[in-house]
Amino acid sequence: MTLRIGVDTGGTFTDVVAFDEETGALHVRKVSSTPQDPGLAIVEGLDQILEQIGGRSPADVGYFAHGTTVGTNALLTHRGARTGVVTTRGFRDLLELGRGRRPRLYDLQADKPAPFAPRDLRLEVTERVRHDGSIETPLDEDEVRAAARTLREAGVESVAVCLLYSFLRPEHEQRIGEILREELPGAHLSLSSRVLPEFREYERLSTVVTNAYVGPVVAEYLAKLRQRLAERGLAAVPHVTQSNGGIIPFEAAEELPVRMVLSGPSTGVVGAAGLCAAAGHPDLITFDMGGTSSDVSLVRNGVPKVTTGMELDGRPVRTPMLDIHTVGAGGGSLARVDAGGHLKVGPASAGADPGPACYGKASDTAEPTVTDADIVVHTLNPVHLLDGRMPVDEQAARAAVGRIAERIGLGVEETAHGILRVVTANMARAIRVISVQRGYDPRDYTLVPFGGAGPLHASQLARELGMRTVLVPPTPGAQSALGLLMTDVRADFSRTRIQRLTDDPERTAGQLGALWAELEDEAAAWFDAERIPEADRGLERTAELRYAGQNHEIPVPVPAGPLDAAALAGVLETFAAEHRRLYGYDAPDEPVEAVTVRLQAVGAVPQAKLPREEPAGEDASASLTGHREMHLQGEGFVSVPVHRRADLRPGNRVTGPAVVEQMDTTTVLLPGDVLTVDDHSNLVIAVGG
């Protein structure tokens, strides 16, 4: 069993990457996604890549990992399970009350999203734990049983339990869970003390309800896929990606599906961080442009930035995740003219079916997509894609763009460039969210594009942001699938304990050390369950700190080893420096509070490593396959060289304008760009203009 396989399911394509540990060979395959049943495309992709390799079967696969958007799509399309809630008496309506701020500051008519659990399925029980963890009112178990029967009669499939101070004392929630299992056998159960043992009751309730809402959907999908893979002869334990960039077995993921919200894009960031750090580019901004959306993230010193949560469709979801920002700007994003006569692109998408007009399945009145615009100006091959396996219809693309051109009074090529400029502006805005708005200057970073459409638009996007270097990895169209083969097993543990660090540092250090010791015991049990050898175990500690009176915290890394007064002083210095970077000042005379402590357990697993090659000189003529007429703004159609990526060698140099084609993507060089192939086979582009 020498094959390691990663599968990433996107809105348009499903990418499959296989790494042969014996030969070091990397194999890539793309198949059309099957949104109605994503597992069909996964099995088809597995069969095709094994056939492509030749003479291999699923029994040869020793590792299988999968990135999925099933849970996210269920949330966005409101196709989750019928969900009930059990909560502390008096807090039934918290899910709708939320925070006292409008979603859009100046929109007085903005509506909050409808709760996943309707009011008649949100039930209260008598119990009360105080803020210090003491029990003021015992749990009324008779009320719990009555609530359970009410939910059973209402036909709920999943139940979320969230009590006011269960993050301090979980016994009441645990007992409610026992009763619910007796009264509702077979129902999916989510306890907030298990899903998110942290303070801020609204965010905790929203997260545990989200977990309950998608739990049955994700569990059914993973169980069905696991069965299909087993029927194909796969003996390896299948894993799935979490939002934190790590992987866990399917069965573990079924309990905490909320941790898979960013399952798809997270591994692309992890893989890019590893590739680029090895190539001497530790500071980068990743840009994953697929068929439906674009995901951007920032990596500093080789480590992806992380966050403790996000808002998904207006609902807070709190779980450790990579700091990824998503916009509806992909190759399939639809272009249209709004009521004011302005050109808009996205977030609506043509998806995998019918897809862009150039795929030949759209109607004669279909709106054009970004991919159609690329076909019109010939940045994309106007004859076929995927190394000839997928023919395209240039005339259909021109007709679709032409319908927009007539409405805005421009030529077809000028309109296509307009579509590309608008989508570039959308993507640049997303990058500013994770860079400029976080205190980072994008000009100090390397842009790393991947996804099927990332390298196609990277040079123009870099110009928009003032970035000077673009690095295109070897398999950009399948980078997220490759990232699945370059990530570790990870699990996150946390506790909320609010205490001042500046009062009696020695005592405080001891208390925090004891809290981390509890988390380390949980991590050790998890390592044992996952059968991670002692030598492959690692722990990463983080404390979320704030000045007393502030409402939000800053995560600060805590070094390994005993936590004493001296170590605590170093943590406080790091906090002050990070506060200055984010806000421009610190307050040395103000008391500092620790709010939540976190521990990430990392189990190292064997990873795919791409081989290095010796330089072959600057001459890239061996990769030249011909020339293509490409439309450049202000110049019209210009004949540009087309190079085959597979024939480029380290040291080769290509000057723009030019096109580099490979099976999974196309890289476009604009005038003034200079491309050099490094010894890791990355395309490093010095952006001109």
Side-chain angles (χ1 to χ4, degrees), residues 500-632:
R500 292 196 175 184
L501 305 186
T502 45
D503 299 342
D504 194 350
E506 196 69 47
R507 179 177 61 84
T508 302
Q511 292 173 335
L512 290 177
L515 201 54
W516 264 303
E518 291 180 20
L519 299 181
E520 287 169 6
D521 289 342
E522 292 184 25
W526 176 81
F527 279 133
D528 292 340
E530 293 297 320
R531 300 179 181 177
I532 305 296
E534 289 283 347
D536 296 331
R537 300 181 180 187
L539 298 173
E540 299 173 5
R541 300 189 300 190
T542 304
E544 294 185 352
L545 309 181
R546 68 185 183 189
Y547 289 118
Q550 288 184 321
N551 196 36
H552 294 283
E553 304 78 50
I554 297 175
V556 177
V558 177
L563 188 65
D564 53 20
L568 190 59
V571 172
L572 290 171
E573 289 178 7
T574 303
F575 166 72
E578 186 68 1
H579 200 282
R580 285 194 300 273
R581 187 190 65 79
L582 285 171
Y583 304 115
Y585 76 97
D586 65 327
D589 297 329
E590 293 293 326
V592 178
E593 293 178 335
V595 177
T596 300
V597 298
R598 300 185 183 279
L599 183 74
Q600 185 171 86
V602 182
V605 298
Q607 298 180 5
K609 296 186 182 300
L610 301 182
R612 300 179 66 168
E613 297 184 42
E614 293 298 320
E618 293 188 359
D619 185 12
S621 59
S623 65
L624 187 65
T625 62
H627 288 72
R628 179 160 83 224
E629 297 292 314
M630 188 168 74
H631 195 279
L632 300 176

Side-chain angles (χ1 to χ4, degrees), residues 58-304:
D60 297 319
V61 178
Y63 174 89
F64 182 94
H66 170 40
T68 178
T69 58
V70 166
T72 308
N73 291 341
L75 294 174
L76 295 176
T77 59
H78 297 184
R79 294 180 180 174
R82 184 167 172 79
T83 302
V85 173
V86 176
T87 188
T88 303
R89 185 163 300 284
F91 289 86
R92 175 186 191 183
D93 294 318
L94 180 61
L95 200 60
E96 289 180 274
L97 292 172
R99 295 292 174 189
R101 57 176 181 265
R102 291 193 295 272
R104 293 178 293 277
L105 183 59
Y106 299 107
D107 186 356
L108 300 180
Q109 306 302 319
D111 293 324
K112 290 184 178 181
F116 289 136
R119 192 173 192 272
D120 63 313
L121 297 182
R122 301 197 301 268
L123 307 181
E124 301 174 338
V125 295
T126 299
E127 71 86 39
R128 193 58 179 264
V129 174
R130 293 182 60 81
H131 68 283
D132 58 1
S134 62
I135 296 178
E136 179 177 288
T137 305
L139 176 67
D140 188 326
E141 295 191 7
D142 291 337
E143 288 188 5
V144 176
R145 291 193 182 278
R149 290 164 186 155
T150 299
L151 294 175
R152 184 179 61 202
E153 292 169 1
V156 299
E157 305 165 82
S158 187
V159 183
V161 182
C162 186
L163 305 182
L164 187 58
Y165 280 104
S166 61
F167 65 91
L168 289 176
R169 193 158 184 168
E171 290 96 323
H172 285 178
E173 276 197 0
Q174 292 167 352
R175 181 56 185 148
I176 291 174
E178 293 171 357
I179 295 172
L180 288 173
R181 290 186 183 95
E182 295 172 9
E183 300 286 346
L184 284 86
H188 189 277
L189 186 61
S190 298
L191 305 182
S192 75
S193 53
R194 174 74 178 94
V195 175
L196 186 68
E198 300 175 18
F199 84 143
R200 292 199 173 98
E201 60 275 11
Y202 167 56
E203 286 77 10
R204 182 158 48 92
L205 176 59
S206 175
T207 301
V208 72
V209 169
T210 300
N211 190 78
Y213 185 70
V214 299
V217 176
V218 171
E220 180 183 358
Y221 166 73
L222 292 179
K224 188 175 181 180
L225 178 57
R226 186 167 64 243
Q227 181 181 354
R228 282 174 170 166
L229 293 172
E231 290 172 352
R232 280 292 195 280
L234 181 74
V237 176
H239 286 68
V240 67
T241 323
Q242 300 179 93
S243 301
N244 64 7
I247 54 172
I248 53 175
F250 276 18
E251 291 184 6
E254 292 168 14
E255 182 184 357
L256 296 172
V258 74
R259 294 191 176 183
M260 296 164 54
V261 169
L262 294 180
S263 172
S266 63
T267 47
V269 177
V270 172
L275 285 173
C276 295
H281 298 265
D283 297 328
L284 51 118
I285 291 174
T286 65
F287 161 50
D288 179 3
M289 185 177 182
T292 306
S293 62
S294 291
D295 304 305
V296 298
S297 188
L298 186 139
V299 176
R300 192 180 185 200
N301 297 324
V303 179

